[in-house]
Amino acid sequence: MPETARRADRPADRSDRLSGTRYGNRPTMKDVAARAGVGLKTVSRVVNGEPGVTPDTERRVQEAIEALGFRRNDSARVLRKGRTASIGLVLEDLADPFYGPLSRAVEEVARAHGALLINGSSAEDPDREQELALALCARRVDGLVVIPAGDDHRYLEPEIKAGVATVFVDRPAGRIDADVVLSDNFGGARDGVAHLIAHGHRRIGFIGDMPRIHTAAERLRGYRAAMEDAGIPVEDSWMSLGVTDPERVRRAAEAMLSGPEPVTAIFTGNNRVTVTVIRVLAERSRPVALVGFDDIELADLLQPGVTVVAQDAAALGRTAAERLFRQLDGSLVGPERIELPTRLVTRGSGELPPAG
Amino acid sequence: MPETARRADRPADRSDRLSGTRYGNRPTMKDVAARAGVGLKTVSRVVNGEPGVTPDTERRVQEAIEALGFRRNDSARVLRKGRTASIGLVLEDLADPFYGPLSRAVEEVARAHGALLINGSSAEDPDREQELALALCARRVDGLVVIPAGDDHRYLEPEIKAGVATVFVDRPAGRIDADVVLSDNFGGARDGVAHLIAHGHRRIGFIGDMPRIHTAAERLRGYRAAMEDAGIPVEDSWMSLGVTDPERVRRAAEAMLSGPEPVTAIFTGNNRVTVTVIRVLAERSRPVALVGFDDIELADLLQPGVTVVAQDAAALGRTAAERLFRQLDGSLVGPERIELPTRLVTRGSGELPPAG
DNA sequence: CGTGCGTATGACAACGTTGTCCAGGCTCTA
DNA sequence: TAGAGCCTGGACAACGTTGTCATACGCACG
């Protein structure tokens, strides 16, 4: 059945919204032009605020637009103009409180540049990250902000070569040379652990994510560095890696808190781990010091307040997005790695002296 | 200067990325066809997995696609096909922890239907909401999930008429008839306040947002209803409306906790207010009961644990998105209002007996 | 009064894809 | 072996917009 016939026929078909292939007979510039009795291009001029239209003509066109409920089809516009004024954000999990502010910051920068934000969660799955990133490229986003889930981003090479501005955040890109914005994970962790050492701790536990994740590896490295700087040999039983789900974190924490020589302090490698460890410690009578990487909400209201190494998620997002738009300006020379400082926030749990 | 000339010229121009109007010479199906020595449509068939291509031809095409780094231009596809396989989400603030899970839930449903999610924050500004929603319509999203900031949505009428599926979440649409998915704000608040009354409280304070916001009004109504059911006359000094920024919440709370007849319990109208009130109460020696609307993270770890009326943000998002895709299926009859139940989570703060 | 110029307007092609339709070559059967 | 029918592949138009270019008109000036 030809398209045109379908348009006119069967207006009462109840599944019209879907089966009507086109956008339910949306008016086009041609329709507006016909109604206003002007040429197609004149409508285009009015819609885009281009000069060279008499006030009288403009008024007629505006009336027609109003009457028909016309709205410019940006798909066609994009096809013609080449740029979409939209950027993509691939993150790990929108529901994670860390990414809310980050995402919001990216959005604000995009908005300031007149661009929309399209985003999706990779759920920490490299394949899904790739699928998502390429889908965004197919939509011809002008740029891409990616929080890597995988560690090989060569699949983006053709896209970058084709002009898609790309910035990686939170974790570095894998096997390609690209802009990266990250927190000083190493320095932050080192400072946090040094803080515990400064308060007299020597047996300090570390619970973090798999070292295959860059941030986790860096934080572990910071832990080791601080211990080494203090001349404290690290025992294997103090470290628990690749552990994030609450049950395993709980077991790991309990393990290092038991035995003849339990740890007197714990450094946690991310917010989810921190929360679980707080629960474990709350059930114990003997006080254990705690410093966590990433801030958590209400950390100051707990007893004791939770000392953390805080990252500025919003600053990460903002910096990345700004860098992306500067790529689009063409005002950047080459890929760069930007590291943002972390901040140690002391609230009590990190200042507890060693017990036992 | 003609487009084609520009393409080829000045490859070394350092602002190439921007000034090159087109997508940096991206290969098209035509290019792939030429390289593979086949017709344009054959490439289209291969890309879309349509039948009618010999394995040998398909292989040649695939090789050409690989070699050129071709990626289908979805803008053109959308223009031709009419549907974009993307939906828009207009929410209040991505950084608000309430909207993270909601947004994520919408995304999951979209993904299950093969659609992408484009979103933006209205920052509680009706004009910005409208601007955003219409921008999404210009992109020809198939559907729109809106968390209203304003109370007049007639501007969406032409869009809805043109076939844009639309669902409002968390707050009802203003002045148009549309699908709405919300929490039982009235019932939840009433139950929460009744809970306090059941524990012996009579002088119960209420701190909430401006009643012009639907959810705030409903929660206030729930508060009043519970009090009335218990035969307790409400004094004006117990209620503080339109107060959300921390400083003013603090003053409001302190005011109702002072004087000759202070309240012995407080019901807070949303999570931000709850958090501030927790801080105020933490500084006081005399225990004051507290029930908050919206759950907050780590609420169970505080002393006492915070009793809340919890909404299921993810369920709101999921329900709305599913309803949206059912609109697109054409399997729905008319607009409907769906109310999801809330859940009272007792953790201690709401079970404190009246003091003084 | 004619020429020249500037401004308002419209005709037309192109953007990259997909749907329609037709041609040519093949197989299968009578 | 010829004709019918099927399968593969390609030519072409269309989607709605914008950039380019040509035209027509009005006005000032010589």
Side-chain angles (χ1 to χ4, degrees), chain B residues 287-302:
Chain B
V288 174
L290 171 68
V291 173
F293 207 109
D294 288 340
D295 206 351
I296 53 184
E297 229 190 342
L298 299 191
D300 57 322
L301 284 180
L302 298 174

Side-chain angles (χ1 to χ4, degrees), chain A residues 188 191-193 195 267 291-292 307-310 342-346 351:
Chain A
D191 294 352
V193 175
H195 182 73
F267 184 85
V291 173
T307 295
V308 298
V309 176
T342 58
R343 200 165 44 92
L344 183 72
V345 184
T346 60
E351 294 74 51

Side-chain angles (χ1 to χ4, degrees), chain A residues 83-87 105-117 142 318-329 331, chain B residues 18 131 139:
Chain A
R83 301 226 149 232
T84 58
S86 59
I87 66 175
V106 172
E107 187 202 335
E108 286 300 329
V109 176
R111 183 179 146 82
H113 285 82
L116 277 179
L117 181 65
D142 297 339
R318 200 180 325 114
T319 308
E322 275 163 3
R323 185 137 186 112
L324 187 140
F325 282 102
R326 286 209 287 141
Q327 276 186 31
L328 290 171
D329 283 352
S331 65
Chain B
L18 188 76
E131 179 198 335
R139 295 293 165 100

Side-chain angles (χ1 to χ4, degrees), chain A residues 49-248:
Chain A
E50 286 169 27
V53 181
T54 14
D56 181 58
T57 310
E58 170 158 8
R59 193 186 42 73
R60 287 214 319 283
V61 171
Q62 286 290 8
E63 278 173 14
I65 288 176
E66 197 76 18
L68 296 172
F70 167 80
R71 184 110 35 225
R72 178 179 64 198
N73 185 333
D74 274 0
S75 293
R77 174 168 223 250
V78 157
L79 176 59
R80 187 60 230 251
K81 300 203 72 155
R83 301 226 149 232
T84 58
S86 59
I87 66 175
L89 172 63
V90 180
L91 38 70
E92 195 238 300
D93 182 0
L94 249 182
D96 184 322
F98 178 71
Y99 295 112
L102 193 156
S103 173
R104 178 67 196 276
V106 172
E107 187 202 335
E108 286 300 329
V109 176
R111 183 179 146 82
H113 285 82
L116 277 179
L117 181 65
I118 310 183
N119 56 11
S121 304
S122 68
E124 202 72 80
D125 174 353
D127 291 339
R128 193 160 154 184
E129 173 208 301
Q130 173 169 350
E131 179 197 335
L132 208 50
L134 290 181
L136 292 169
C137 289
R139 295 291 163 102
R140 295 293 188 269
V141 292
D142 297 339
L144 218 43
V145 176
V146 180
I147 294 167
D151 48 12
D152 186 350
H153 297 93
R154 281 175 298 178
Y155 70 87
L156 278 176
E157 258 172 358
E159 310 301 327
I160 293 173
K161 201 168 293 171
V164 179
T166 310
V167 180
F168 292 82
V169 189
D170 194 41
R171 307 168 193 175
R175 316 188 73 175
I176 63 170
D177 196 23
D179 274 325
V180 189
V181 179
L182 6 80
S183 284
D184 179 11
N185 291 290
F186 169 74
R190 192 189 48 196
D191 294 352
V193 175
H195 182 73
L196 288 168
I197 295 172
H199 281 80
H201 296 273
R202 292 185 61 83
R203 296 199 306 279
I204 302 173
F206 178 94
I207 306 180
D209 219 324
M210 292 166 292
R212 118 182 140 65
I213 298 178
H214 175 264
T215 51
E218 284 293 291
R219 293 170 196 178
L220 175 60
R221 198 162 69 79
Y223 164 79
R224 286 183 181 283
M227 297 297 267
E228 189 173 335
D229 287 350
I232 306 172
V234 174
E235 293 185 17
D236 281 352
S237 64
W238 297 350
M239 291 183 301
S240 183
L241 309 179
V243 179
T244 47
D245 74 288
E247 202 35 58
R248 293 185 58 203

Side-chain angles (χ1 to χ4, degrees), chain B residues 54-127:
Chain B
T54 26
D56 181 57
T57 310
E58 169 156 8
R59 192 185 43 71
R60 286 213 321 281
V61 171
Q62 286 289 9
E63 277 172 14
I65 287 176
E66 198 76 18
L68 296 172
F70 168 79
R71 185 108 36 224
R72 179 179 63 199
N73 185 331
D74 273 0
S75 294
R77 174 168 223 253
V78 157
L79 176 61
R80 185 62 231 251
K81 301 203 71 155
R83 301 231 148 227
T84 59
S86 59
I87 67 174
L89 171 63
V90 179
L91 38 72
E92 196 237 300
D93 182 1
L94 249 182
D96 184 322
F98 178 71
Y99 295 112
L102 194 156
S103 174
R104 177 68 195 276
V106 172
E107 187 203 335
E108 286 300 329
V109 176
R111 183 178 146 83
H113 286 82
L116 278 180
L117 181 64
I118 310 183
N119 56 10
S121 304
S122 68
E124 202 70 81
D125 173 352
D127 292 338

